């Protein structure tokens, strides 16, 4: 998979409805994973979207999720720029440069879904997410 750059949108409990709406607008394939899918089946947020991915035949990619419990939702600034793929060296290089002098909210490390992931807000105030896909077995 080549690396890709796309918006990552945050929602306050209505990510499923929003991403389904975007699928109606743009077409494509929508994949949704909930917090319950990743080890919290009895939690109040179990049915909320932990990660959603819309990929269209026009080459558009939109990702989104409901904000995790304890995080604030700020309408109007509820986005990040996502860089993802499976080229470990390339993506770690992007992370090193983006996170230099940045506020790092999630250090680049292996996550419960198996990928290496990190979040930072660069020195210009732009929020970034870097996700390195785990090798396919």
């Amino acid at each position: 998979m080549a690396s890709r750059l796309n918006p990552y949108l945050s929602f306050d409990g209505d990510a499923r409805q929003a991403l389904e709406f975007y699928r109606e607008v743009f077409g494509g394939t929508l994949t949704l994973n909930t917090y319950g899918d990743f080890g919290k089946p009895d939690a109040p947020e179990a049915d909320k979207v932990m990660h959603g991915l819309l990929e269209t035949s026009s080459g558009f990619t939109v990702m989104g999720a409901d904000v995790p419990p304890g995080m604030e939702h700020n309408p109007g600034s509820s986005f990040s720029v996502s860089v993802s793929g499976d080229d470990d060296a390339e993506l770690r290089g992007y992370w090193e440069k983006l996170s230099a002098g940045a506020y790092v909210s999630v250090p680049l490390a292996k996550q419960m879904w198996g990928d290496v992931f990190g979040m930072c807000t660069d020195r210009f105030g732009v929020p970034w997410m870097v996700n390195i896909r785990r090798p396919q077995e």
Side-chain angles (χ1 to χ4, degrees):
M1 170 185 170
S3 297
R4 74 171 124 197
L5 179 94
N6 61 272
Y8 201 107
L9 308 174
S10 296
F11 300 93
D12 192 21
D14 57 357
R16 179 182 306 275
Q17 294 88 340
L19 292 168
E20 287 173 349
F21 169 72
Y22 299 141
R23 178 181 57 197
E24 290 175 21
V25 172
F26 299 112
T29 303
L30 178 61
T31 305
L32 298 173
N33 299 104
T34 65
Y35 286 96
D37 294 336
F38 287 98
K40 296 185 176 186
D42 299 324
E45 69 275 4
D47 290 332
K48 303 237 183 198
V49 175
M50 182 177 164
H51 177 70
L53 170 66
L54 174 62
E55 296 178 293
T56 77
S57 59
S58 296
F60 300 160
T61 300
V62 176
M63 295 180 183
D66 289 309
V67 292
M71 286 187 68
E72 187 177 334
H73 181 257
N74 298 310
S77 63
S78 53
F79 74 94
S80 294
V81 181
S82 172
V83 182
S84 58
D86 54 14
D87 187 324
D88 189 87
E90 177 184 42
L91 291 160
R92 284 181 187 276
Y94 295 150
W95 172 261
E96 291 303 317
K97 292 173 185 172
L98 288 167
S99 63
Y103 169 73
V104 175
S105 54
V106 177
L108 190 67
K110 186 172 181 178
Q111 302 298 321
M112 70 176 126
W113 60 89
D115 294 353
V116 172
F117 175 82
M119 289 174 54
C120 69
T121 300
D122 72 19
R123 61 188 180 173
F124 301 103
V126 176
W128 292 88
M129 304 169 124
V130 174
N131 191 86
I132 306 168
R133 282 194 340 171
R134 69 176 172 249
Q136 300 302 309
E137 299 171 2

